[in-house]
Amino acid sequence: MEQDRAAGGRHRRSVDLGDGRYARASIALKLYRRTRRIRAYLRWSCNGATRERYVCEVDHPTRGENLAEAWRQARLMGLVTDPPPPEGSTASSDAVRAVMRANRAKDTGPELALRRLLHASGLRYRVDARPVPEVRRKADLVFPGVRLAVFVDGCFWHGCPEHYRPATRNAEFWREKIEGNRNRDRETNDILRAAGWNVIRVWEHEAPEMAAELVSREVRARRSGSGPSPPFATGDGR
């Protein structure tokens, strides 16, 4: 796990052995006591034998920072690569495939973090529910009493303007897929607003504390009778 975090994911620790074979590498840090210098080496296994390649010297204050620097240099040197996705996969790379697999439909990490904070503040809500029963659209959090629907949108599937990067493989397929999701988001906003609901959308990369404060403020404003805010959606204004 330490190596995965430093490299940016397990899929980014691959050494190309040729003939379609890949080995998972690790970074070893060696302290040379005489010089007090730390050198980083890339290690992997090939045909039962351990191979090693010098990467660079590192001098950050923590082991995690040194590992991350060594992985960055190894990638710049072309020592590691992302293996291609399995045959038949629509992902443009193994990195994209990893993101796709990590993006669950519900109970994602950002959703759970937001729910914990809201619950700790005393708010109660419905999870993964339809704000309007007869409309087949679910929100991640629903506050029926104040008619507030909250969505936590994944950066990949919903086309985050800050983090989404267009695919290079099957580019047209993914462009249409993501744009379709964004259009559906806008349509959902319009449907709920027309039914008298307010909508809050937050990106998964946004701090859960800020999202929780936004939701809490809106719920309490509506409960206090000070009047609901004009219908809105956070994020990119969808």
Side-chain angles (χ1 to χ4, degrees):
M1 292 179 63
E2 179 187 48
Q3 295 282 343
D4 290 346
R5 285 195 299 269
R10 179 165 297 191
H11 59 281
R12 298 180 68 83
R13 294 172 49 194
S14 298
V15 174
D16 189 348
L17 302 178
D19 300 325
R21 297 181 302 139
Y22 293 85
R24 183 167 296 126
S26 297
I27 291 291
L29 301 177
K30 295 183 180 180
L31 171 63
Y32 289 81
R33 298 187 181 280
R34 186 174 63 83
T35 60
R36 304 302 300 174
R37 292 181 175 178
I38 302 174
R39 292 187 175 184
Y41 294 82
L42 188 72
R43 288 180 176 175
W44 68 96
S45 178
C46 180
N47 297 325
T50 299
R51 304 292 179 85
E52 185 175 272
R53 175 75 179 272
Y54 171 72
V55 178
C56 63
E57 286 190 356
V58 290
D59 60 358
H60 294 285
T62 69
R63 175 178 171 81
E65 290 175 304
N66 284 330
L67 287 174
E69 176 64 25
W71 279 113
R72 281 193 293 268
Q73 293 301 322
R75 183 162 291 272
L76 289 174
M77 295 166 65
L79 300 179
V80 291
T81 186
D82 294 344
E87 186 176 354
S89 172
T90 56
S92 59
S93 69
D94 204 57
V96 171
R97 181 168 175 262
V99 171
M100 291 166 58
R101 294 178 65 182
N103 275 269
R104 297 180 291 179
K106 61 181 180 178
D107 294 336
T108 65
E111 286 178 32
L112 294 174
L114 177 58
R115 279 153 52 179
R116 282 193 295 268
L117 289 169
L118 291 174
H119 193 277
S121 70
L123 297 182
R124 299 298 179 261
Y125 42 79
R126 296 173 61 195
V127 176
D128 190 37
R130 296 182 186 181
V132 182
E134 59 271 21
V135 177
R136 295 175 60 86
R137 300 292 171 92
K138 290 184 177 181
D140 296 313
L141 299 175
V142 176
F143 296 83
V146 295
R147 301 174 75 81
L148 176 65
V150 179
F151 297 83
V152 182
D153 291 336
C155 291
F156 179 82
W157 290 110
H158 295 263
C160 169
E162 186 173 340
H163 295 109
Y164 177 72
R165 298 294 180 269
T168 55
R169 180 183 176 188
N170 298 324
E172 185 64 18
F173 169 85
W174 284 111
R175 185 191 68 77
E176 293 179 357
K177 175 68 174 175
I178 300 304
E179 188 57 35
N181 289 345
R182 290 174 63 84
N183 288 336
R184 182 179 172 83
D185 291 342
R186 285 189 285 266
E187 182 183 63
T188 298
N189 293 345
D190 291 341
I191 290 173
L192 295 182
R193 289 166 177 163
W197 285 72
N198 213 10
V199 178
I200 291 180
R201 285 187 179 272
V202 295
W203 292 110
E204 66 174 348
H205 71 261
E206 295 184 272
E209 293 81 7
M210 294 181 62
E213 174 60 27
L214 175 64
V215 174
S216 297
R217 187 168 62 246
E218 183 65 18
V219 170
R220 293 193 167 102
R222 287 172 167 255
R223 286 179 177 173
S224 69
S226 59
S229 303
F232 68 95
T234 63
D236 61 354
R238 292 169 293 164

